[in-house]
Structures are given as structure tokens and as C-alpha cells.
Amino acid sequence: MNKNLYSIRMRAAQGGPHECGGKHISGAERIVKEKEIMDTIRQLIYRAQQHERGYPDYINLNIEMLNTENIREVTSLPIYTIKTTNYFEGREMAKKILELLGINRTIIEQSFHHLLQGPAPNGANMRGAILMDIKTGQRLEPDLSRGIRVSRIDYKPEAARELAHQLSRYGLNNNHVREALCLATKVSLFPAIVGELCWSDDPSYTAGYVASSKFGYLRFNHLKEKGSARGGRIFFVDPACSELEKTIYRLEQEPYLITKLGKVNGEITYDDFKQIAHSALKGASK
Ligand code: AMP
């Protein structure tokens, strides 16, 4: 039983609060014990102030005790890095994988267009994710500037330590990978969402991923050009799911803690991935 756990959420912006048009700088999610609250707050404020996207003049911290009975304990997605030499190659592979998830090419091209143009209506980045209908390409998030923010997520300390150890073997032990894996794991557990596409808006971070319950967390070291501040997340929604409002509520509100780790793998080729996909799809059709 998890005793007295608290969700701590940080979001930072420049030019005023996000709601008043401020530019999103950074955000983070933690679930910690009561005695860790002060240290965590310090770390999160430090992090907001050190961000490469700029110095924030607005930092919002939210601290909330969780009802521990509602916390879902889950296993993280398996991770693979698919070998790429440049972002053209990475994007083409990501598109092919999204096709294998049942999304047609026109919709996939539209999703890339959103991330490349700046997904908010004013061409800026969003602080949350786009929800995209995989049949029509329609955007389903109620607020097109904010998007859907996946919240109340973290690792149990033992799982976090083990993950850091495993990722270090491949030079991947950084906030980007740890936090994206945590978010993607929660998202993958919702049947309404067939897959996720993400690359960061941090100019120096060119990696990105396609994640799904079917194939796991598939990283590419190159999904965007270095120096670009355009990035975002797209959750691809199966329109057959009639419970979208409930899914949005759960993504934002329901606490998830990763207590066990899926396998952390090193680099594989696209051909290796095809073998993995073949077995996953064969298993799913049984
Ligand atoms: P990051 O990987 O933190 O650089 O974030 C890349 C993009 O993903 C951001 O610009 C947001 O649009 C989106 N994003 C970041 N955090 C979340 C979150 N907690 N839930 C949904 N989308 C997010």
C-alpha cells in the first residue's frame, strides 16, 4: 500500500500564464511521499529556471494528496531505439509504423504537418497533446491551444532507480526518455488511443518516438532537425471508442505509478523491428 502520496505538477511559461498567452517553457510531473515534497519542489523550480527554451516569469506548482486506493500500478512499455542516420529516415520509419497501427497515410501526413507548423491555432507549440481521429483527421481536444495534458504519473522509487541503471547502459538516462516513457506507458493503456507520436520542442533534442500497446516505445534518435523549436504530441484516437470524454478525464486525472519495468533494449534496425511487429501482430490476431 502506498501511504500518503502527493502529486506535484509544475508548469512554467514566459510572457505570463499559459492561459493569458504565455509561451510554454517546461512542465513536469512527480508522485512523491510527504517528506520528499520540499526537495521535489526545489528540483522542479530549478529545472524550470534552467530550461533551454527560456527563463520563465510564471511558474505554477500544484501539490495535491492522492487517494492511494485510486493509484494504478503498471509496467512500463518495452523500449527499442530504431537505428536512423537522419531525420528524413526517422520520419519515414515513424510513418510506416503508424501505418502498421492502422492509420492511413493521409492522416499520418496531416499529423506531421501539425507538429511541423506549430500545432496551436496561432502556430505556437502546445502545452498538451493533440487528439486526432484516425478516420477523419479531425482534432478532438476541447481546447486547441492547450491540448490534453497527461498528468499524475511517475515511477515508484525502486523502478526509477532500476530504469536509470538500465538506460545508462545505452546512454539514454536523461529526463526526456524517463519522463516520455512514463507518459507513453499511461497513454498506451487506453484502448481509445491506438498510438502516439512525439518529438520534443527543445531545440537541442532531436529524438522522438512512436508508442503503442502493440509495439512498445520505439525511439528514433532523429525525428527533427537540430535547432528547431517546433514539437508536440499526437494521440491517435480510434473513433470506434465511444468514451472519449471519460478517456480525457482519466488521462488528466487518474494517478498511475510505474512499479515494474518492461524490457529496455538497445539499438535495432528497421528490419529487426519488422520481425518484432510481425510477432506482435500475429499474437494479436490469435
Ligand atoms: P517535451 O517532450 O516535454 O519537450 O514535450 C513535447 C510536447 O509534448 C510539448 O510541446 C507538449 O505539446 C506535449 N506535452 C508535454 N508534456 C505533456 C503532457 N504531460 N501531456 C500531454 N502532452 C504533453
Side-chain angles (χ1 to χ4, degrees):
M1 173 66 88
N2 300 304
K3 261 185 109 186
N4 286 352
L5 290 179
Y6 288 76
S7 152
I8 305 190
R9 308 197 297 282
M10 179 279 287
R11 59 193 172 97
Q14 193 178 61
H18 299 86
E19 296 79 0
C20 304
K23 171 182 142 188
H24 178 65
I25 298 288
S26 78
E29 295 280 334
R30 299 294 314 278
I31 295 178
V32 300
K33 292 188 183 129
E34 191 169 350
K35 64 176 188 213
E36 294 160 345
I37 292 175
M38 288 307 284
D39 278 350
T40 306
I41 289 172
R42 251 182 238 116
Q43 285 161 17
L44 293 181
I45 293 178
Y46 178 78
R47 188 167 149 177
Q49 291 177 328
Q50 298 299 316
H51 205 278
E52 66 168 299
R53 282 168 55 74
Y55 194 82
D57 51 30
Y58 170 83
I59 301 177
N60 179 296
L61 275 168
N62 190 301
I63 305 165
E64 166 194 61
M65 190 161 87
L66 298 172
N67 180 346
T68 47
E69 279 169 17
N70 295 341
I71 300 178
R72 284 171 197 251
E73 300 196 342
V74 299
T75 302
S76 58
L77 289 171
I79 310 183
Y80 302 88
T81 297
I82 301 184
K83 206 175 183 151
T84 49
T85 47
N86 58 56
Y87 69 89
F88 297 106
E89 201 182 26
R91 284 182 192 166
E92 189 48 37
M93 288 175 189
K95 288 176 187 177
K96 284 192 184 143
I97 293 166
L98 290 167
E99 281 185 298
L100 286 174
L101 290 170
I103 308 166
N104 81 45
R105 190 71 179 209
T106 317
I107 304 293
I108 296 168
E109 295 295 349
Q110 272 181 38
S111 70
F112 272 75
H113 184 77
H114 285 310
L115 296 194
L116 293 169
Q117 296 307 303
N122 63 358
N125 293 327
M126 294 162 71
R127 95 182 124 101
I130 290 177
L131 285 183
M132 196 169 186
D133 182 313
I134 60 164
K135 289 287 177 283
T136 63
Q138 197 191 338
R139 285 178 62 168
L140 304 171
E141 66 279 16
D143 178 338
L144 299 182
S145 296
R146 176 185 182 272
I148 302 302
R149 253 196 96 77
V150 180
S151 199
R152 298 167 175 86
I153 45 175
D154 205 346
Y155 296 90
K156 206 169 179 179
E158 304 84 78
R161 271 194 295 277
E162 179 56 25
L163 181 67
H165 172 69
Q166 300 267 343
L167 290 173
S168 299
R169 290 164 46 213
Y170 304 109
L172 296 177
N173 185 25
N174 59 60
N175 281 341
H176 282 287
V177 177
R178 289 191 305 260
E179 293 178 5
L181 176 68
C182 189
L183 185 155
T185 296
K186 178 173 179 183
V187 174
S188 73
L189 291 165
F190 289 79
I193 298 173
V194 299
E196 175 189 351
L197 167 69
C198 170
W199 67 79
S200 173
D201 43 27
D202 296 351
S204 62
Y205 195 70
T206 62
Y209 65 87
V210 172
S212 64
S213 58
K214 253 187 202 144
F215 303 142
Y217 181 95
L218 305 170
R219 297 184 62 252
F220 303 90
N221 282 325
H222 310 282
L223 264 196
K224 75 165 192 192
E225 57 195 314
K226 206 168 182 107
S228 163
R230 291 250 187 269
R233 278 194 159 84
I234 306 207
F235 301 156
F236 293 94
V237 176
D238 181 349
C241 158
S242 56
E243 299 206 309
L244 190 61
E245 260 179 44
K246 191 167 164 196
T247 300
I248 293 174
Y249 176 83
R250 291 181 59 197
L251 282 169
E252 298 203 327
Q253 303 291 334
E254 212 169 62
Y256 277 60
L257 205 50
I258 293 180
T259 54
K260 288 202 188 110
L261 297 183
K263 191 156 191 293
V264 177
N265 301 281
E267 206 168 51
I268 59 171
T269 64
Y270 190 74
D271 281 339
D272 296 332
F273 162 72
K274 283 200 286 194
Q275 296 285 331
I276 295 165
H278 184 68
S279 321
L281 293 172
K282 223 166 82 186
S285 68
K286 270 187 193 157

